[in-house]
Amino acid sequence: MAKDLLFEIGAEEIPAGFMPSILQQLQDLTAQKLQDAHLPFGTVTTYGTPRRVAVLVKDLADQSADISERHKGPSVSIAYDADGNATKAAIGFARGKGLDVADLVVEDGYIFAETTSKGVSAEDIVKEILPQLISGLNFPKSMHWGNLDDKFVRPVRWLVALLDDQVIPVEFATVQSGNVSRGHRFLGESEFVIANPADYVATLEKNFVMVDQNKRREVIKEQLFAIAAEKNADIVWDDDLLEEILYLVEWPTALCGGFEDSYLALPDAAIITPMKDHQRYFPLMSKDGKLLPMFLTVRNGNDKSIEVVQAGNERVLRARLDDAKFFFNEDRKKALIDREEGLTKIVFQEGLGNLADKTKRLLELGRVFGEACELDEDAAVELERATLLAKTDLTTGMVTEFTELQGVMGKEYALLDGESPEVAEAIFEQYLPRFAGDVLPKTDTGKVLSIIDKVDNIVATFSRGLIPTGSQDPYALRRQTIGILNILLESKWNVNLGPIFVAAMNLLNVPADKQAELQGQLEEFFTLRLKNIYLDRQIPHHVIDLLLSNTALSVADAEGLANAVMNNRIDENVELVQAYTRMYNLVKDVTYTGVDESKLVEDAEKALFADATKAAAVSQEAWDNMDYAGVVAVPATLVDSINKFFEDVMVMDKDEVIKANRLQLVRLAYSVIAVIGDVSKLK
């Protein structure tokens, strides 16, 4: 008869940001452990609130399935002597499998032991795996308490472990499992009994714990939008904020608060940031998109004395807005351009100077990159001005207090200073994208400033030997690299980053004898990130390897060729791949110096020379015009000539002069695809 399993881990308040990962890990780990134990089950569902994580397994079998296994032993010649008697090898093999020698089976010249393991009861399996579920979870940070060696994300206070109505004994950090859980810290019972797993969700709801996070999320959304509709307002929505609030409450009740209209004189960002990032409030705006002096928040409790809670939230927000108002008024006493001296007091990285030094490097990198991407004169002027001002908002009180506003307040202050909208926008866009899935810069000036700022950060950090390893990436260099690549992919600027790296290294005074090694490290790092981008787009591994084998390609070239190959699918043209692979094997180490047409004897080699010369010219013209579809289409036009050549012509002729000339001919024909990359990657 199928049973249900419940395992609840009660703890002190768990950081909201950790919860989605914890619940996913718990679900995956539970399913994996049960599968490894060969114990059939129905569904695995995880639940989570600030004070608990739980897993509920439905329809768990009474016992695991019997397992039949066949073990291969030594050969018959080793297992038995000339008289057919079992040797020590056979006897030992049988004993190890718990069998008599007579039970061994001979087949295909070897002996085999066939064993059957009886199924284990669900109770015994669950007793074994539940402690493993606790120890198997990983957290960004763990704690241990008292004199205990046990570690968890927060101190564990209670455990519930039930197989139907039977308590499964589990111990962790001196806490013994039982059937007693705890309700909402202020509204529910301090302790109550869970009769069986099927009653878990309902029993907790009676004690003011909405343990199902999916239901809790929908309830929060319904409450927020209902209040917004009453106010005839729209919510400044943020999915990440909702997800954070979701794991801060066990019994959600939304409420609306307000603040004085006078604060609306501040830039919207100076109001919204304290609300969202510091207080976890949703701002409200009018139907025409103007910020309103109201906010929504979610209480962890019911609506009793809700007006007191509202007043408390308003009082806290008012203090934050007073701070913002003070910093804003103080900041406005000095224009951004007059803050350059303050950059000398802010260290960039250890041993690499201050932000004033970084600004000087960015000005020079901007000129180098601007020329490479053929930035027009107006954009170049805007870029220089934006670069001068790029880091100055870091000296303001507003950004010092609310670091999330870097770039945001720079844009606001630049506009108030009378700077052009293009310059102001670039100051903001230099930090884009800020996270995975964030928007990319839209203006050419902003794109260049974002790229050179990130290149300087990456090269500077690499020059200090701080290359990300494993999961360690304290300077977010992977994110910045992906940001650069995505900007280049979106902009389609045909810029090779190699010279940009060299310029950055020179500006950072990297010794000449260290630059080649550092260049290789940077190119490898960027190539791996580009490979990951293509893998996310479901481009086959061998196609990616083909393209990235050509280190001379710019990001725009790689993107154009990737799309062209996927549209043409030359990798699936078996005859083409075979023809070019055959040539590759002959000339992979041959440098092209030219074909002497006068030394071509056979009709097939003359025909290949004519076709290859024409194809190379067509390919080069397509390449010059960035017609990647044209480049990818050309190799197939040579397949017949190549095959005919190999049928009729002996490449490795006894005459060394003819042999060398024919190898040059093969190299010429192969060059039609070599521009894409190493064809051996398609095998």
Side-chain angles (χ1 to χ4, degrees):
M1 180 178 175
K3 299 180 178 180
D4 293 342
L5 170 67
L6 170 68
F7 187 44
E8 180 187 62
I9 307 168
E12 294 184 9
E13 276 72 4
I14 301 169
F18 294 4
M19 286 297 291
S21 172
I22 292 173
L23 294 179
Q24 188 62 57
Q25 287 184 66
L26 182 58
Q27 183 173 24
D28 295 343
L29 189 60
T30 301
Q32 187 61 55
K33 292 293 184 183
L34 293 174
Q35 288 168 2
D36 291 346
H38 303 283
L39 183 61
F41 60 92
T43 59
V44 177
T45 307
T46 51
Y47 301 105
T49 76
R51 300 176 65 208
R52 74 200 74 223
V53 292
V55 59
L56 176 63
V57 182
K58 302 286 288 183
D59 300 325
L60 197 66
D62 285 332
Q63 67 176 34
S64 62
D66 294 345
I67 303 173
S68 297
E69 295 180 287
R70 202 163 192 257
H71 308 276
K72 186 177 181 180
S75 64
V76 172
S77 60
I78 295 174
Y80 300 99
D81 61 21
D83 297 327
N85 298 315
T87 64
K88 290 183 178 179
I91 295 170
F93 175 67
R95 186 186 304 117
K97 303 303 177 185
L99 299 175
D100 188 89
V101 173
D103 295 327
L104 297 176
V105 177
V106 176
E107 189 176 307
D108 297 330
Y110 290 88
I111 60 172
F112 292 86
E114 297 178 346
T115 62
T116 299
S117 300
K118 288 293 184 180
V120 180
S121 71
E123 180 182 348
D124 289 340
I125 292 173
V126 168
K127 284 179 182 178
E128 182 179 349
I129 70 171
L130 290 187
Q132 297 172 9
L133 295 184
I134 305 179
S135 60
L137 297 176
N138 295 310
F139 318 105
K141 291 183 179 180
S142 296
M143 295 179 64
H144 62 84
W145 50 100
N147 296 318
L148 304 173
D149 293 328
D150 301 292
K151 290 185 178 181
F152 199 66
V153 62
R154 287 294 184 269
V156 172
R157 296 309 185 206
W158 76 90
L159 295 170
V160 174
L162 290 175
L163 186 62
D164 278 351
D165 58 356
Q166 178 186 357
V167 173
I168 302 297
V170 179
E171 180 178 348
F172 179 79
T174 74
V175 177
Q176 303 283 343
S177 63
N179 61 355
V180 176
S181 184
R182 301 183 186 180
H184 187 281
R185 195 178 287 276
F186 305 112
L187 302 177
E189 294 291 333
S190 59
E191 292 187 344
F192 55 88
V193 172
I194 305 292
N196 57 68
D199 294 339
Y200 177 65
V201 174
T203 304
L204 263 68
E205 283 212 18
K206 291 177 182 177
N207 287 275
F208 296 92
V209 176
M210 199 176 294
V211 73
D212 185 339
Q213 63 274 9
N214 295 319
K215 178 180 179 180
R216 203 163 64 247
R217 183 186 294 108
E218 291 307 310
V219 168
I220 293 172
K221 288 175 68 175
E222 288 173 6
Q223 292 179 358
L224 291 173
F225 281 103
I227 296 175
E230 290 176 7
K231 304 295 182 182
N232 194 32
D234 290 328
I235 302 173
V236 180
W237 191 254
D238 187 321
D239 284 328
D240 291 336
L241 178 57
L242 173 64
E243 203 67 12
E244 183 175 9
I245 291 172
L246 175 66
Y247 294 109
L248 291 175
V249 299
E250 291 193 317
W251 193 260
T253 301
L255 61 95
C256 182
F259 54 91
E260 290 78 1
D261 289 357
S262 60
Y263 292 116
L264 294 177
L266 292 168
D268 285 358
I271 302 172
I272 292 174
T273 296
M275 281 192 197
K276 292 173 63 175
D277 295 353
H278 295 263
Q279 301 306 130
R280 279 71 177 176
Y281 299 163
F282 284 96
L284 290 177
M285 60 183 180
S286 64
K287 294 297 182 180
D288 58 359
K290 294 180 180 179
L291 202 62
L292 294 172
M294 293 187 290
F295 63 88
L296 300 179
T297 188
V298 180
R299 177 193 189 180
N300 183 22
N302 57 18
D303 59 0
K304 182 179 180 181
S305 302
I306 196 75
E307 66 282 352
V308 176
V309 178
Q310 175 186 331
N313 279 278
E314 291 172 342
R315 184 171 58 254
V316 173
L317 178 60
R318 190 177 298 112
R320 301 298 295 181
L321 294 179
D322 279 336
D323 289 343
K325 187 175 182 179
F326 170 78
F327 291 125
F328 178 77
N329 290 334
E330 288 297 305
D331 290 344
R332 291 303 303 135
K333 294 177 181 179
K334 184 185 289 189
L336 288 180
I337 195 63
D338 297 327
R339 292 180 172 274
E340 291 179 280
E341 184 179 348
L343 295 177
T344 63
K345 301 175 183 178
I346 303 177
V347 175
F348 169 55
Q349 285 193 35
E350 183 181 350
L352 296 175
N354 51 49
L355 289 185
D357 299 320
K358 179 178 176 68
T359 298
K360 291 176 183 177
R361 293 197 301 271
L362 292 182
L363 285 167
E364 183 56 35
L365 274 181
R367 283 188 279 272
V368 174
F369 195 93
E371 290 177 6
C373 68
E374 300 179 346
L375 209 61
D376 64 49
E377 186 175 347
D378 289 342
V381 172
E382 293 166 2
L383 175 61
E384 183 173 357
R385 184 67 175 179
T387 304
L388 278 171
L389 301 174
K391 304 302 177 184
T392 53
D393 71 339
L394 299 180
T395 69
T396 65
M398 185 71 81
V399 175
T400 301
E401 178 69 12
F402 305 107
T403 55
E404 308 93 330
L405 291 177
Q406 64 177 3
V408 177
M409 292 311 300
K411 173 183 176 179
E412 296 290 343
Y413 288 151
L415 291 172
L416 291 170
D417 288 346
E419 301 290 346
S420 71
E422 292 78 13
V423 168
E425 190 65 25
I427 293 172
F428 166 68
E429 290 183 334
Q430 67 177 304
Y431 296 107
L432 300 181
R434 295 156 297 187
F435 47 83
D438 193 17
V439 295
L440 300 175
K442 299 300 181 186
T443 67
D444 285 350
T445 306
K447 291 174 185 176
V448 175
L449 186 53
S450 176
I451 289 173
I452 61 176
D453 181 43
K454 292 173 175 59
V455 166
D456 183 74
N457 291 341
I458 295 165
V459 176
T461 308
F462 268 58
S463 72
R464 296 175 58 203
L466 301 176
I467 302 173
T469 57
S471 61
Q472 300 301 311
D473 188 9
Y475 293 93
L477 300 188
R478 293 188 182 95
R479 175 179 59 77
Q480 294 185 66
T481 299
I482 291 172
I484 291 171
L485 293 171
N486 280 325
I487 293 171
L488 289 173
L489 290 170
E490 190 272 340
S491 68
K492 296 183 172 59
W493 282 330
N494 199 10
V495 177
N496 192 312
L497 289 172
I500 312 301
F501 294 152
V502 172
M505 286 189 286
N506 288 331
L507 290 167
L508 286 159
N509 299 314
V510 176
D513 60 341
K514 301 290 185 183
Q515 289 194 12
E517 180 184 3
L518 184 56
Q519 178 95 354
Q521 292 170 337
L522 289 164
E523 289 178 353
E524 181 181 359
F525 191 74
F526 272 71
T527 298
L528 184 55
R529 306 283 86 71
L530 184 59
K531 182 174 184 177
N532 290 336
I533 289 173
Y534 285 147
L535 286 173
D536 288 342
R537 285 165 48 180
Q538 306 300 313
I539 295 178
H541 283 270
H542 60 275
V543 173
I544 298 172
D545 291 341
L546 168 71
L547 300 173
L548 299 186
S549 66
N550 188 343
T551 57
L553 294 181
S554 68
V555 176
D557 289 336
E559 175 69 357
L561 289 172
N563 292 329
V565 170
M566 291 307 294
N567 290 332
N568 190 294
R569 293 315 300 263
I570 61 172
D571 59 307
E572 295 181 347
N573 185 332
V574 176
E575 194 174 8
L576 182 150
V577 173
Q578 288 176 343
Y580 277 89
T581 299
R582 192 172 183 182
M583 291 194 295
Y584 171 82
N585 292 332
L586 281 172
V587 299
K588 58 186 175 183
D589 298 322
V590 174
T591 302
Y592 184 67
T593 58
V595 177
D596 186 344
E597 190 173 1
S598 66
K599 292 185 171 60
L600 300 176
V601 180
E602 304 290 343
D603 289 342
E605 61 182 330
K606 292 177 181 178
L608 179 58
F609 177 70
D611 292 344
T613 302
K614 178 181 177 182
V618 172
S619 179
Q620 187 61 53
E621 182 180 2
W623 186 261
D624 292 341
N625 293 325
M626 298 178 68
D627 175 12
Y628 301 107
V631 172
V632 170
V634 171
T637 65
L638 283 182
V639 172
D640 290 342
S641 298
I642 294 167
N643 290 338
K644 182 65 173 173
F645 171 79
F646 281 121
E647 288 173 7
D648 296 355
V649 177
M650 175 65 70
V651 178
M652 311 305 282
D653 195 90
K654 295 179 181 179
D655 187 322
E656 289 297 326
V657 174
I658 292 177
K659 170 186 170 182
N661 197 51
R662 285 175 177 169
L663 287 172
Q664 287 295 311
L665 174 57
V666 175
R667 182 70 216 187
L668 171 63
Y670 176 71
S671 67
V672 174
I673 198 172
V675 69
I676 301 175
D678 179 357
V679 72
S680 68
K681 304 298 183 182
L682 295 180
K683 292 190 293 183

